[in-house]
């Protein structure tokens, strides 16, 4: 694998690429570079080979990976995590065609200590004009397309909650399947709005509110609805790696992995 992230340290604005060691973020190199200072993540590299890296968009603050010399981690495994408090990353050319084209989003996250009672997706396209997946008013967990009046709630959102979530939808079916920590439910949007939605954002929808929690992994499939078998395989692998309990073999073709 190539680099995982590019980080910028606050003490001198120097940037360095950080890679992997045994498929885990190279924290030794990271902490050597960020010793006693704060490092922001300026680029989160797409691991699929499709080049959909996410970087800073105009007006957005960068998330952190080291704060005051302390590595940011998420429970329960204590593995490295990107802290998206008040921050977003994005890709200005990554387009989504709405819910009228099949797709899938998967994320490994931890909610913040005070989940926001607002629309603040973990993954969004074109602000709230396109589909957004993650935090919704409640505070709760689900998806929304505010421009089209679509909002579905899966569950309330607790503080510091580890979440393995998959959202999958099929072309023009108006049907959405959401799986949270292994338990899946189906929803009907009542409409399958199309369009061309850009940019793609991680950590918020470009508005005043951000998700504010920790992100560890994101998998996006354009034009492909994950089957239950695919979803179960992916989520079991994530459960074992991140030590997140579930209540119940993907390729990288058409995928973007972070």
């Amino acid at each position: 694998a190539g680099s995982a992230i590019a980080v910028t340290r606050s003490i001198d604005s120097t940037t360095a690429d950080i890679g992997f060691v045994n498929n885990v973020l190279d924290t030794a190199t990271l902490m050597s570079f960020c010793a006693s200072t704060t490092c922001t993540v300026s680029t989160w590299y797409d691991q699929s080979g499709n080049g959909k890296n996410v970087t800073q968009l105009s007006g957005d603050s960068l998330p952190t990976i080291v704060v005051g010399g302390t590595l940011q981690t998420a429970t329960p495994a204590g593995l490295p995590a990107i802290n998206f408090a008040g921050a977003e990353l994005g890709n200005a050319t990554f387009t989504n065609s709405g819910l009228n084209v099949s797709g899938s989003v998967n994320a490994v996250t931890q909610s913040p200590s005070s989940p926001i009672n607002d629309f603040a997706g973990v993954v969004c396209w074109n602000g709230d004009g396109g589909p957004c997946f993650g935090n919704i008013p409640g505070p709760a967990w689900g998806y929304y397309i505010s421009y089209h009046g679509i909002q579905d709630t899966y569950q309330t959102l607790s503080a510091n909650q580890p979440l393995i979530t998959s959202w999958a939808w099929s072309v023009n079916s108006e049907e959405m399947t959401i799986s949270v920590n292994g338990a899946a439910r189906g929803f009907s949007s009542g409409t399958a709005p199309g369009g061309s939605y850009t940019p793609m954002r991680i950590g918020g929808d470009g508005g005043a509110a951000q998700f504010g929690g920790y992100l560890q992994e994101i998998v996006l499939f354009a034009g492909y609805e994950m089957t239950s078998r695919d979803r179960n395989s992916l989520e079991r692998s994530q459960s074992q790696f991140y030590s997140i309990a579930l209540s119940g073999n993907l390729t990288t073709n058409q995928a973007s992995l972070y």
Side-chain angles (χ1 to χ4, degrees), residues 3 29 43 56 70 79 113 137 142 147 182:
S3 297
T29 299
T43 303
Q56 185 176 31
T70 299
L79 292 172
S113 56
Y147 183 78

Side-chain angles (χ1 to χ4, degrees), residues 31-128:
M31 296 308 294
S32 175
F33 180 76
C34 302
S36 302
T37 190
T38 293
C39 277
T40 55
V41 176
S42 49
T43 303
W44 195 355
Y45 291 109
D46 180 3
Q47 301 301 307
S48 71
N50 292 323
K52 306 291 188 184
N53 305 327
V54 288
T55 58
Q56 185 176 31
L57 298 181
S58 177
D60 292 340
S61 297
L62 290 172
T64 54
I65 187 69
V66 178
V67 177
T70 299
L71 178 66
Q72 301 298 282
T73 61
T75 59
L79 292 172
I82 301 177
N83 185 343
F84 274 82
E88 298 182 24
L89 292 172
N91 183 301
T93 62
F94 192 166
T95 301
N96 181 286
S97 298
L99 298 184
N100 68 330
V101 175
S102 299
S104 305
V105 174
N106 167 273
V108 181
T109 66
Q110 179 184 309
S111 64
S113 56
S114 297
I116 189 168
N117 186 24
D118 205 339
F119 294 104
V122 168
V123 177
C124 286
W125 273 270
N126 193 33
D128 59 10

